[in-house]
């Protein structure tokens, strides 16, 4: 479905991604783990057309998209739920959902999809006329996910969806993400908790300083000594203090 070949991205003279190659298959759940500043968000922005690569190619369902406009990429079937939600504080919940369908013209189906989002997130129906800036962090994340789903993506990219959320909300978000995947949407997840991300995903990539240093089935990376030492030890310690897999340290 999605294929990146030798992607390089820069910020000015600084190289953020170098020679990155990866794939996401049809109805596959792939996670991307790495430390802060490794280039994970840059990679998602490159796929979305927000930070086009200076070298390499990105193909989606056989069509090259690394020079496509972000709106074109959304229309083709890729949506991103960005880090920190990126909502407009003075726009209502329902207006955000309508904006998520900006590439569509099927008004009756858009209305039906908004109601489906309210079925997934009943809290949003109660808040439908409320300005996004007045919502809790968890409610804002619901809006961000709902907005992304309104484009009917075949690939949903999620950047740190558990960031800043209360444990009980994190648990419910994880269930929502798994349900979205179970219903046929491919997922590319960037998540702060490597342990839980690897437990959710089919395959995984490890990104360090702009380079892919490990890749493979998630179960193999969970058993990989380097990954365990570099990324899973902290998660295990958090779980011992009451975080991690029980929903208090990430998705």
């Amino acid at each position: 479905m999605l294929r990146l070949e030798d992607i390089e991205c820069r910020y000015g003279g600084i190289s953020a991604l170098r020679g990155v190659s990866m794939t996401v298959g049809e109805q596959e759940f792939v996670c991307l783990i790495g430390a802060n500043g490794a280039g994970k968000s840059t990679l998602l922005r490159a796929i979305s057309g927000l930070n086009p690569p200076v070298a390499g190619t990105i193909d989606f369902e056989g069509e090259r998209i690394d020079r496509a406009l972000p709106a074109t990429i959304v229309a083709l079937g890729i949506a991103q739920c960005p880090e920190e939600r990126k909502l407009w504080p003075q726009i209502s919940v329902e207006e955000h959902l309508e904006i998520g369908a900006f590439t569509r013209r099927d008004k009756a189906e858009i209305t039906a999809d908004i109601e489906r989002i309210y079925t997934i997130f009943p809290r949003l129906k109660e808040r439908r006329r409320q300005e996004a800036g007045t919502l809790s962090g968890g409610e804002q994340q619901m809006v961000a996910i709902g907005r992304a789903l309104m484009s009917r993506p075949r690939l949903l990219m999620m950047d740190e969806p558990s960031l800043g959320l209360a444990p009980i909300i994190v648990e419910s978000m994880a269930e929502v993400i798994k349900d979205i995947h179970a219903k046929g949407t491919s997922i590319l997840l960037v998540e702060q908790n490597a342990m839980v991300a690897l437990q959710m995903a089919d395959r995984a990539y490890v990104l360090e300083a702009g380079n892919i240093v490990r890749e493979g089935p998630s179960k193999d990376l969970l058993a990989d000594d380097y990954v365990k030492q570099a990324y899973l030890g902290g998660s295990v310690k958090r779980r011992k203090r009451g975080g991690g897999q029980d929903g208090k340290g990430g998705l």
Side-chain angles (χ1 to χ4, degrees):
M1 172 180 266
L2 178 73
R3 180 177 297 274
L4 284 70
E5 293 283 351
D6 296 322
I7 291 299
E8 180 177 353
C9 288
R10 294 179 178 273
Y11 291 108
I14 300 174
S15 184
L17 295 173
R18 294 179 293 279
V20 171
S21 298
M22 65 178 295
T23 63
V24 179
E26 188 80 28
Q27 297 185 14
E28 191 176 28
F29 195 137
V30 174
C31 72
L32 182 67
I33 64 173
N36 289 339
K40 303 186 299 298
S41 294
T42 298
L43 189 145
L44 297 191
R45 289 175 59 83
I47 297 169
S48 294
L50 299 171
N51 186 27
V54 297
T57 60
I58 304 175
D59 294 309
F60 181 67
E61 296 188 330
E63 182 170 346
R64 188 167 174 179
I65 63 169
D66 49 88
R67 291 295 178 267
L69 295 173
T72 300
I73 293 170
V74 172
L76 288 172
I78 299 177
Q80 181 174 350
C81 185
E83 185 179 8
E84 297 180 344
R85 278 79 80 175
K86 301 294 190 294
L87 304 182
W88 293 278
Q90 295 181 326
I91 293 179
S92 73
V93 167
E94 192 150 303
E95 287 171 325
H96 274 91
L97 299 182
E98 292 168 347
I99 288 170
F102 77 101
T103 62
R104 299 170 54 186
R105 297 295 179 265
D106 49 338
K107 292 184 178 180
E109 288 297 311
I110 289 171
T111 299
D113 283 351
I114 289 175
E115 290 304 318
R116 278 191 279 272
I117 297 300
Y118 291 150
T119 299
I120 298 170
F121 299 117
R123 185 82 59 85
L124 294 188
K125 188 165 188 176
E126 300 171 7
R127 307 282 195 271
R128 62 194 304 166
R129 305 301 180 197
Q130 194 167 323
E131 293 181 354
T134 66
L135 302 176
S136 69
E139 291 166 344
Q140 290 185 5
Q141 187 63 67
M142 295 174 195
V143 175
I145 295 173
R147 179 181 59 187
L149 291 175
M150 284 298 299
S151 67
R152 290 188 173 178
R154 291 187 292 283
L155 172 63
L156 176 61
M157 303 191 300
M158 310 192 77
D159 194 352
E160 303 282 14
S162 74
L163 188 65
L165 300 185
I168 191 169
I169 302 299
V170 168
E171 291 179 359
S172 65
M173 288 296 172
E175 293 305 313
V176 167
I177 293 168
K178 288 188 282 188
D179 186 61
I180 292 168
H181 176 245
K183 290 178 178 176
T185 303
S186 298
I187 302 286
L188 177 56
L189 171 69
V190 168
E191 170 53 38
Q192 60 184 336
N193 189 310
M195 174 70 76
V196 180
L198 289 170
Q199 290 173 336
M200 292 176 67
D202 303 312
R203 289 192 304 112
Y205 293 86
V206 181
L207 190 65
E208 290 186 357
N211 296 283
I212 299 291
V213 298
R214 289 285 194 283
E215 62 180 277
S218 295
K219 60 181 178 59
D220 292 347
L221 293 188
L222 281 166
D224 182 279
D225 288 339
Y226 175 79
V227 173
K228 286 194 290 186
Q229 181 177 1
Y231 297 101
L232 303 183
S235 295
V236 171
K237 290 176 183 177
R238 283 193 295 272
R239 285 166 58 198
K240 289 179 179 178
R241 294 196 300 267
Q245 194 173 8
D246 65 358
K248 298 181 182 177
L251 282 176

